[in-house]
């Protein structure tokens, strides 16, 4: 009898399965556990996470480290997609042209144009001159409103106001007339004085219509057709906002220039081919498929594509202590997305959505690197450690412990960094594929499109459903259902989009509506998981025909997601394929498949 631990090193978690194997080869599962993966998957840094996961599993089984006969680890292929988001174009607005919009509490209503003049200097102007008053933080809201009322009564044409402080509503409530008022202008000191200015405030529940329309701006600033083309980035940046301002000096201009996106060069068993990143994700993926099994992928030097892929190569060279030229990229997933680009000269950190391509790249699995990890682990624990096998092979062995399954069987192993697929036929022969892109790529797309500050925020939006707090005692979930509460909801959450987490409601730090956030989340999951599911199954299915498959079992951490299994099931339904979550060993759900497969490999 021997006790074996199977350990699966993943991109996000390290999972352990411990079992007792009799001399006759019968397996008794004793425990399982998981811990966060330490460091980049497939590197020496993983050892700390292995220790933690293994200790948890031993404690649950009531065992000590010396009780183990052997530890079996997977061949872990590193995946880097989280640093490879590159925009195709960049919008640059020169500092002589400034735009702004801010934020949630403008005052007044309508459109106003005039020269930008400090409130204290308005009496120095010709009374016939149309003016937008600039009110800095030295003005109290009561004094500012009193002064604007006085100047207006003396005949000065004040058509709007821009406030540095958050006083828009307070000033508006004290005026004897209605003008558009912007407040909370972050870079107030940068506003040029004495220049033609246009501001707009829309009614509650609506968005600006004139300054978000290039022809609207052209009308206010008397622009010709060429100038109108150049201000398109300005109008795009203001779409969807309730308030907006555009200021333009006589010398102001706008440029929209392309950063060289460059080409990606695929080297495969069936030949070589290149594709321009500007052609988009679909074209990139078609070219990748056309060269057969990938040997290496390179980017054009001096371009975004080159920097993107060489960054992957450099990172892996430093982590694995291999020579740069010995690092080869075995797979790439490209996804079209939109990336908010900060506009130079903005008054409040404005951005415009630009087309972008997100890329996840996978470095070829290196058994020598895994053997080095195994040796270091063995020396530290004084227990034999072996590299048990490829993840896809181990995952299908683990998946077969799901009640109701039998060969032939296909599985999709959906993790944080990679999407793996394998199929075992009646002769127990296994076909496998290991593809870049999974849960981390989804979070990256969500973070990018929503313009979130941290990756962790995107992770939470990916994992938890949304709701909108509509009163102090009820909220509306993203599916339209309403939930009432006996106790009052935190007032800080009123009218906000929130995440429904096990710990309670958590606000989403995004200006977008619940519908928009939900759409971005589901689109990101579909672009990554559905695309990779079909790509993987086409690779392993007999003759590349997905319809020849009958049953597909979903395993891995991302199979726990509340939407991903349904998205994949729906996409496979048109092929007549039945897909569903696995339940490893009848107890673990879709987790622990690889670790269980590694453990079972100890019977051979």
């Amino acid at each position: 009898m021997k006790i074996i631990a199977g350990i699966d090193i993943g991109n996000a978690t390290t999972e352990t399965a411990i079992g007792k194997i009799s001399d006759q080869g019968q397996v008794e599962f004793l425990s399982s556990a998981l811990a966060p993966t330490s460091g980049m998957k497939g590197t020496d840094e993983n050892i700390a996470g292995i220790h933690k996961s293994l200790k948890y599993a031993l404690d649950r089984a009531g065992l000590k480290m010396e009780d183990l006969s052997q530890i079996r680890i997977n061949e872990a292929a590193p995946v880097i997609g989280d640093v490879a988001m590159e925009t195709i174009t960049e919008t640059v607005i020169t500092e002589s042209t400034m735009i702004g919009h801010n934020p949630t509490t403008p005052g007044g209503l309508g459109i106003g144009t005039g020269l930008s003049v400090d409130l204290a200097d308005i009496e120095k102007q010709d009374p016939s001159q149309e003016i937008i008053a600039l009110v800095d933080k030295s003005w109290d809201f009561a004094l500012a409103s009193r002064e604007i009322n006085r100047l207006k009564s003396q005949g000065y044409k004040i058509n709007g106001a821009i406030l540095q402080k958050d006083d828009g509503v307070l000033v508006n409530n004290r005026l004897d007339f209605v003008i558009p008022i912007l407040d909370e202008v972050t870079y107030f000191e940068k506003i040029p004085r004495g220049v033609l200015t246009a501001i707009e405030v829309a009614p509650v529940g609506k968005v600006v219509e004139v300054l978000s329309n290039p022809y609207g701006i052209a009308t206010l600033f008397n622009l010709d057709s060429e100038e109108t083309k150049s201000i398109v980035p300005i109008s795009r940046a203001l779409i969807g906002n309730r308030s907006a301002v555009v200021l333009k000096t006589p010398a102001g201009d706008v440029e929209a220039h392309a950063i060289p996106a460059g080409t990606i060069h695929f080297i495969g068993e069936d030949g070589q081919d290149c594709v321009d990143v500007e052609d988009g994700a679909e074209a990139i993926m078609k070219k990748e498929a056309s060269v057969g099994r990938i040997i290496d992928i390179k980017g054009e030097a001096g371009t975004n594509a080159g920097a993107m892929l060489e960054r992957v190569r450099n990172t892996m060279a430093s982590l694995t202590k291999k020579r740069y030229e010995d690092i080869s990229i075995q797979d790439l997933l490209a996804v079209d997305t939109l990336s908010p680009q900060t506009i130079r000269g903005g008054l409040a950190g404005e951005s415009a959505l630009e087309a972008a391509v997100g890329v996840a790249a996978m470095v070829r699995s290196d058994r020598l690197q895994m053997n080095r990890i195994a040796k270091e682990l063995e020396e530290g624990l004084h227990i034999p450690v072996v590299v048990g096998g490829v993840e896809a092979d181990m995952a299908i062995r683990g998946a077969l412990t799901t009640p109701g399954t039998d060969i032939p069987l296909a599985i999709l192993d959906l993790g944080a960094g990679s999407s793996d697929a394998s199929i075992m036929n009646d002769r127990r022969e296994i076909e496998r594929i290991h593809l870049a892109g999974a849960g981390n790529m989804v979070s990256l797309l969500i973070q990018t499109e929503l313009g979130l500050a941290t990756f962790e925020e995107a992770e939470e939006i990916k994992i938890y459903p949304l709701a909108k707090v509509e009163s102090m005692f009820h909220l509306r979930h993203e599916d339209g259902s309403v939930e009432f509460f006996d106790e009052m909801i935190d007032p800080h959450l009123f009218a906000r989009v929130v995440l429904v987490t096990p710990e309670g409601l958590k606000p989403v730090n995004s200006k977008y509506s619940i519908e928009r956030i939900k759409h971005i989340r589901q689109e990101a999951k579909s672009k990554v998981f559905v695309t990779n599911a079909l790509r993987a199954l086409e690779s392993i299915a007999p003759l590349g025909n997905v319809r020849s498959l009958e049953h597909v079992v979903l395993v891995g951490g991302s199979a726990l997601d509340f939407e991903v299994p349904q998205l994949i099931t729906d996409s496979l339904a048109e092929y007549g394929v039945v897909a569903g979550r696995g339940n490893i060993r009848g107890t673990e759900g879709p987790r622990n498949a690889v670790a269980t497969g590694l453990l079972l490999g100890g019977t051979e």
Side-chain angles (χ1 to χ4, degrees):
M1 183 204 74
K2 54 187 177 181
I3 296 175
I4 291 179
I7 301 178
D8 169 27
I9 306 165
N11 283 276
T13 59
T14 297
E15 300 182 356
T16 299
I18 294 179
K20 185 187 299 182
I21 301 177
S22 69
D23 296 335
Q24 293 74 37
Q26 295 177 320
V27 180
E28 178 188 352
F29 293 103
L30 301 177
S31 69
S32 62
L34 62 84
T37 295
S38 52
M40 179 72 69
K41 174 182 177 180
T43 65
D44 295 346
E45 295 175 355
N46 297 157
I47 291 176
I50 292 172
H51 277 274
K52 188 174 291 186
S53 179
L54 182 56
K55 185 179 185 305
Y56 289 161
L58 288 169
D59 289 346
R60 288 179 180 177
L63 298 171
K64 298 178 180 179
M65 195 70 71
E66 52 266 30
D67 294 328
L68 291 176
S69 306
Q70 187 185 73
I71 295 172
R72 301 173 62 83
I73 62 175
N74 59 317
E75 287 186 28
V79 179
I80 304 178
D82 317 304
V83 295
M85 179 67 67
E86 298 290 352
T87 56
I88 294 173
T89 61
E90 179 187 54
T91 299
V92 176
I93 297 181
T94 63
E95 291 184 358
S96 53
T97 298
M98 304 186 76
I99 72 166
H101 62 91
N102 205 3
T104 56
T105 58
L109 196 65
I111 301 167
T113 60
L115 293 186
S116 55
V117 180
D118 285 310
L119 183 56
D121 296 332
I122 290 179
E123 285 189 293
K124 300 175 185 178
Q125 305 296 315
D126 185 331
S128 64
Q129 175 64 57
E130 295 187 331
I131 290 171
I132 299 295
L134 305 180
V135 184
D136 65 33
K137 61 184 178 182
S138 68
W139 288 90
D140 174 81
F141 65 86
L143 289 175
S145 55
R146 191 179 307 134
E147 180 67 2
I148 292 172
N149 280 329
R150 185 183 70 81
L151 291 169
K152 187 78 170 179
S153 67
Q154 292 181 2
Y156 286 94
K157 296 181 178 179
I158 300 176
N159 296 337
I162 299 175
L163 280 54
Q164 186 171 20
K165 295 197 295 186
D166 182 15
D167 289 341
V169 173
L170 295 172
V171 170
N172 175 67
N173 290 343
R174 288 161 175 78
L175 292 182
D176 300 330
F177 50 94
V178 177
I179 56 172
I181 303 172
L182 301 188
D183 61 0
E184 294 185 71
V185 176
T186 309
Y187 306 122
F188 185 87
E189 67 283 354
K190 292 185 178 182
I191 299 175
R193 270 56 174 176
V195 302
L196 183 57
T197 303
I199 66 176
E200 180 179 3
V201 174
V204 177
K206 295 188 177 182
V207 295
V208 295
E209 297 180 355
V210 176
L211 295 183
S212 62
N213 174 8
Y215 298 112
I217 297 176
T219 301
L220 295 176
F221 287 90
N222 194 27
L223 304 179
D224 60 28
S225 61
E226 286 303 312
E227 290 172 321
T228 301
K229 288 180 184 178
S230 73
I231 51 89
V232 169
I234 292 177
S235 60
R236 286 180 57 202
L238 298 175
I239 291 173
N241 296 304
R242 191 183 157 211
S243 59
V245 56
V246 176
L247 307 92
K248 192 172 188 297
T249 67
D253 62 345
V254 181
E255 299 174 10
H257 67 262
I259 293 175
T263 58
I264 294 176
H265 186 200
F266 294 104
I267 304 167
E269 291 184 341
D270 298 339
Q272 302 184 19
D273 212 339
C274 291
V275 62
D276 197 311
V277 174
E278 287 188 347
D279 294 338
E282 184 177 354
I284 293 171
M285 299 309 293
K286 282 183 179 179
K287 289 290 186 181
E288 181 177 17
S290 71
V291 301
R293 192 178 73 86
I294 296 294
I295 296 173
D296 199 6
I297 303 172
K298 297 183 177 180
E300 180 184 354
T303 67
N304 279 339
M308 188 191 313
L309 295 174
E310 296 320 302
R311 196 160 55 236
V312 170
R313 221 179 292 274
N314 276 326
T315 301
M316 285 314 303
S318 63
L319 287 172
T320 60
K321 300 177 178 61
K322 293 179 67 174
R323 294 189 306 166
Y324 169 85
E325 55 269 27
D326 292 338
I327 300 291
S328 59
I329 297 174
Q330 80 170 58
D331 186 61
L332 177 151
L333 173 67
V335 178
D336 288 324
T337 186
L338 295 172
S339 176
Q341 294 299 294
T342 300
I343 295 175
R344 298 180 190 177
L347 296 180
E350 291 77 19
S351 62
L353 288 175
E354 291 290 345
V357 175
V359 170
M362 176 183 294
V363 176
R364 189 169 302 283
S365 180
D366 186 346
R367 192 177 179 90
L368 290 177
Q369 171 68 14
M370 295 310 301
N371 284 338
R372 189 158 54 247
I373 295 173
K375 184 179 179 181
E376 187 174 339
L377 195 61
E378 185 174 298
E379 289 174 352
L381 297 176
H382 307 293
I383 297 168
V385 180
V386 300
V387 180
V390 180
E391 286 180 50
D393 293 2
M394 298 303 104
I396 200 165
R397 293 172 186 237
L400 281 168
T401 65
T402 295
T405 59
D406 199 359
I407 56 174
L409 180 71
I411 65 116
L412 283 170
D413 185 1
L414 310 173
S418 64
S419 299
D420 307 333
S422 54
I423 184 170
M424 181 181 284
N425 61 23
D426 293 327
R427 298 183 297 278
R428 304 192 78 81
E429 298 168 336
I430 296 177
E431 281 287 327
R432 72 188 75 87
I433 188 75
H434 196 43
L435 302 177
N440 287 349
M441 186 66 173
V442 171
S443 298
L444 177 64
L445 294 176
I446 293 172
Q447 181 186 9
T448 301
E449 291 206 31
L450 291 179
L452 300 174
T454 66
F455 185 80
E456 288 69 27
E457 289 178 272
E459 275 279 295
E460 291 182 332
I461 289 174
K462 177 184 73 176
I463 294 170
Y464 300 119
L466 300 160
K468 178 73 175 287
V469 178
E470 296 187 336
S471 79
M472 291 295 92
F473 291 93
H474 88 279
L475 57 76
R476 188 176 301 275
H477 290 277
E478 64 176 55
D479 63 359
S481 61
V482 176
E483 182 178 359
F484 293 89
F485 297 84
D486 294 330
E487 297 183 6
M488 187 174 73
I489 300 172
D490 183 347
H492 293 97
L493 300 178
F494 177 65
R496 297 191 67 177
V497 178
V498 296
L499 295 170
V500 183
T501 78
E503 292 75 34
L505 304 179
K506 187 170 184 178
V508 175
N509 296 317
S510 173
K511 65 180 182 179
Y512 294 108
S513 67
I514 186 172
E515 293 80 13
R516 177 64 176 161
I517 297 170
K518 177 183 177 181
H519 174 75
I520 288 174
R521 183 192 70 210
Q522 291 181 335
E523 278 290 294
K525 291 177 181 179
S526 180
K527 287 176 181 177
V528 174
F529 284 115
V530 174
T531 298
N532 260 356
L534 294 176
R535 195 160 66 108
L537 293 176
E538 285 170 357
S539 297
I540 64 168
L543 302 177
N545 181 12
V546 177
R547 293 184 184 278
S548 65
L549 304 174
E550 293 184 11
H551 298 276
V552 175
V553 176
L554 307 180
V555 299
S558 291
L560 289 166
D561 186 275
F562 70 103
E563 290 175 310
V564 169
Q566 188 61 50
L567 289 170
I568 293 176
T569 298
D570 290 345
S571 68
L572 293 178
E574 62 181 274
Y575 296 93
V577 177
V578 178
R581 281 195 188 102
N583 187 16
I584 309 306
R585 308 200 312 263
T587 60
E588 304 296 313
R591 280 199 177 278
N592 212 252
V594 174
T596 297
L598 286 164
L599 172 56
L600 293 171
T603 63
E604 299 174 353

